[in-house]
Amino acid sequence: MAYRVGCISLGCEKNRVDAEMMMASLEREGFQLVDDVAMGDAAIVNTCGFIESAKQESIEEILELAKLKEEGRIKAIVVTGCLAERYQQEIAKELPEVNAVVGIGANKEIARIVREALEGKRIETFPPKCELPLEGERVQSTPSYFSYLKIAEGCDNHCTYCAIPLIRGGYRSRKMEDILAEAEKLAQWGVKELMVIAQDTTRYGEDLYGEGKLPQLLTELCKVEGLRWIRVLYCYPERITDELLEVMAKEDKILKYMDLPLQHCSRQVLRAMNRQGDRESLSALIRKIREKVPGIVLRTTFMVGFPGETEEAFEELAEFAKEMRFERMGCFAYSQEEGTPAARLPDQISREIKEHRQELMMEQQMALMDEMSREMVGKTITVLNEGWDRYAECCFGRSAADAPEIDTKVFFTVEGKKPYPGMFVQVEITDTMDCDLIGQVVTT
């Protein structure tokens, strides 16, 4: 009988793609995949180790699995991903219930590792990070109509607060032909919306081709039959080129949506983060983006409470966010991560002040988003149907302005036959609720 194995993947969608590749590898080696890890013989936790809250979530998941193992419901626990790569011996020492702790470079050997763990062996292996596979089959874990396409691994930006280069290694672009072949396959599976991801998508190609190739890649992706929406995430401001904006404006399949992680606008804070720009230059960039790509939705993330962030610098950030009226925004309190340059900086800020600044930023943003949502009433928009909400007793989905799991939703009613998940419908917006849109189907 084949061993059964389940996987919990935490953190970012780049991690999800790694998990999908591991699942395909296991299936190819004769393992039976299960959706519920409690129903498996072995459980894999593909951990996140980016910030403190993510690390805590990973540890809690491992401890929950340890209870299942103690009860005899599962036989082995395998920990991989960023937390395992970052805290190698610590996990093995502090969590003796775990059978295998392996670094990201060991993902290609996951079938052997799981099998040996089930045979009672204790495994600790941490091959070079660069051995993490960039290519391979995947088992799709998202709904059939959307998927993520990872175009590169690692990061060379070296922001002082970020542990990603320590954990994932240097930037490695995939060959364009390999990316396009994978996109073709995803489209054949029925994927309608493709999310293009990397730690920094705008750096794509610099290491392989000597220059950024994201505009060319997007142009080629638009030729893939079956794809309707292509969403570009994680674009860094210093690499937003006129060529990229021209492609986004010209190509119908590319959503007028850009994830632009700015982090701050204070020149002093940005330099301490090893980031470029200031309020003036970033404001000019945003005006330029909106001018060249009319109707674009901008999502950004800000970090408050970075070491040395004065009250004046925070107020400048809040004013900037209000002035720019970002359609989507997330704000995080700085997390002091060991091994990063920022962790050693003086003038660390208390948790209370960081959290208070985060709350103020999000309160301001929610008020802005509520206002912008109300401006949508009376308009008709295209919505990708995602299913039926039994509590609201209506369908729900996402517009082009909404990325999965991080943005708002559209709730809508329909006369007659319900649309199937993955179907595009035209919805007239009639109301709002907590920044989500409410409407009714006008055509299907």
Side-chain angles (χ1 to χ4, degrees):
M1 187 181 75
Y3 285 126
R4 295 163 299 167
V5 60
C7 178
I8 298 171
S9 189
L10 304 171
C12 69
E13 302 305 340
K14 299 179 287 295
N15 220 30
R16 178 197 285 269
V17 173
D18 293 343
E20 290 179 343
M21 291 174 67
M22 283 192 285
M23 291 297 98
S25 177
L26 286 161
E27 191 172 53
R28 191 168 56 249
E29 293 295 321
F31 287 86
Q32 179 186 342
L33 306 184
V34 295
D35 293 330
D36 183 355
V37 290
M39 302 301 292
D41 298 303
I44 299 171
V45 188
N46 191 29
T47 58
C48 178
F50 181 45
I51 58 176
E52 189 58 39
S53 58
K55 290 185 283 188
Q56 193 58 44
E57 181 186 19
S58 295
I59 291 168
E60 287 171 2
E61 286 286 357
I62 296 167
L63 293 176
E64 285 297 316
L65 291 174
K67 291 179 187 176
L68 294 179
K69 184 182 175 187
E70 188 178 351
E71 294 166 3
R73 295 173 65 185
I74 61 175
K75 298 184 180 73
I77 302 170
V78 176
V79 178
T80 183
C82 291
L83 192 75
E85 180 68 44
R86 189 174 182 188
Y87 300 102
Q88 303 175 355
Q89 280 70 41
E90 290 94 325
I91 293 177
K93 180 181 178 183
E94 299 296 330
L95 298 167
E97 306 92 340
V98 171
N99 300 77
V101 182
V102 300
I104 60 174
N107 282 12
K108 65 184 184 301
E109 302 177 60
I110 194 65
R112 175 187 63 78
I113 289 164
V114 171
R115 189 170 282 114
E116 290 183 1
L118 285 165
E119 291 169 355
K121 296 180 182 178
R122 187 166 176 82
I123 304 149
E124 296 175 36
T125 180
F126 304 94
K129 300 173 181 60
C130 61
E131 292 186 18
L132 172 74
L134 294 181
E135 310 300 331
E137 297 293 322
R138 292 165 58 183
V139 171
Q140 192 175 354
S141 62
T142 53
S144 61
Y145 50 85
F146 80 82
S147 188
Y148 295 89
L149 183 66
K150 187 162 75 166
I151 63 173
E153 174 57 52
C155 189
D156 287 337
N157 289 336
H158 298 290
C159 303
T160 60
Y161 53 80
C162 183
I164 293 297
L166 298 172
I167 299 169
R168 310 290 293 198
Y171 198 88
R172 293 188 293 146
S173 299
R174 296 175 61 192
K175 292 179 181 177
M176 193 176 299
E177 56 266 33
D178 293 334
I179 296 171
L180 295 172
E182 183 175 3
E184 294 272 6
K185 184 173 293 186
L186 291 169
Q188 290 167 11
W189 288 357
V191 168
K192 303 297 182 188
E193 180 183 12
L194 198 63
M195 258 73 62
V196 177
I197 58 172
Q199 193 65 31
D200 176 357
T201 54
T202 39
R203 188 184 277 268
Y204 171 73
E206 288 183 4
D207 54 318
L208 275 184
Y209 306 112
E211 61 180 351
K213 288 288 187 178
L214 182 60
Q216 291 88 337
L217 174 63
L218 293 175
T219 300
E220 293 302 312
L221 284 172
C222 289
K223 299 175 185 176
V224 176
E225 291 186 15
L227 297 178
R228 179 158 171 182
W229 282 0
I230 298 173
R231 191 182 300 274
V232 187
L233 303 180
Y234 318 128
C235 300
Y236 275 58
E238 54 267 32
R239 295 188 183 86
I240 303 297
T241 63
D242 288 350
E243 186 182 11
L244 175 60
L245 296 177
E246 286 162 9
V247 169
M248 292 189 73
K250 179 181 69 174
E251 297 287 355
D252 291 336
K253 287 186 179 182
I254 301 178
L255 296 179
K256 309 312 180 242
Y257 177 106
M258 182 182 286
D259 186 306
L260 193 68
L262 298 178
Q263 306 305 347
H264 218 283
C265 73
S266 160
R267 180 181 178 85
Q268 174 193 350
V269 174
L270 285 169
R271 293 305 174 275
M273 291 178 170
N274 193 33
R275 305 272 304 222
Q276 299 178 26
D278 54 27
R279 182 174 179 176
E280 183 179 354
S281 66
L282 293 174
S283 297
L285 173 64
I286 291 158
R287 286 192 293 269
K288 178 181 178 179
I289 293 171
R290 287 186 166 145
E291 177 186 334
K292 287 188 171 291
V293 190
I296 193 168
V297 169
L298 291 179
R299 158 169 274 283
T300 193
T301 48
F302 290 124
M303 179 184 295
V304 293
F306 188 81
E309 182 192 52
T310 62
E311 190 64 35
E312 291 75 21
F314 170 70
E315 288 174 1
E316 181 183 11
L317 176 63
E319 290 169 4
F320 170 73
K322 187 174 183 178
E323 178 188 349
M324 292 296 103
R325 291 176 64 85
F326 294 99
E327 288 81 3
R328 304 286 183 263
M329 189 201 85
C331 183
F332 303 91
Y334 165 73
S335 177
Q336 187 176 7
E337 296 299 315
E338 59 271 18
T340 63
R344 302 187 295 271
L345 288 175
D347 302 319
Q348 298 285 332
I349 294 171
S350 71
R351 172 176 290 185
E352 291 77 16
I353 291 176
K354 288 190 288 189
E355 291 179 351
H356 179 59
R357 290 177 180 176
Q358 179 189 27
E359 288 171 8
L360 290 175
M361 288 290 289
M362 290 311 301
E363 284 173 8
Q364 174 178 281
Q365 178 64 19
M366 293 304 288
L368 281 169
M369 284 183 62
D370 184 60
E371 184 181 314
M372 287 186 275
S373 295
R374 293 184 188 282
E375 292 170 359
M376 295 297 295
V377 173
K379 296 181 180 179
T380 297
I381 60 174
T382 301
V383 174
L384 174 59
N385 178 51
E386 297 199 289
W388 177 261
D389 188 303
R390 60 191 181 94
Y391 295 108
E393 295 187 332
C394 65
C395 296
F396 69 92
R398 292 180 291 106
S399 72
D402 302 302
E405 299 181 6
I406 57 173
D407 291 327
T408 57
K409 292 186 180 297
V410 182
F411 294 89
F412 58 94
T413 56
V414 58
E415 295 289 338
K417 188 177 179 182
K418 297 185 185 73
Y420 55 81
M423 184 175 178
F424 291 90
V425 293
Q426 296 300 306
V427 176
E428 181 183 358
I429 305 305
T430 57
D431 202 354
T432 68
M433 181 180 65
D434 299 330
C435 300
D436 290 326
L437 302 179
I438 299 172
Q440 57 191 18
V441 170
V442 290
T443 58
T444 58

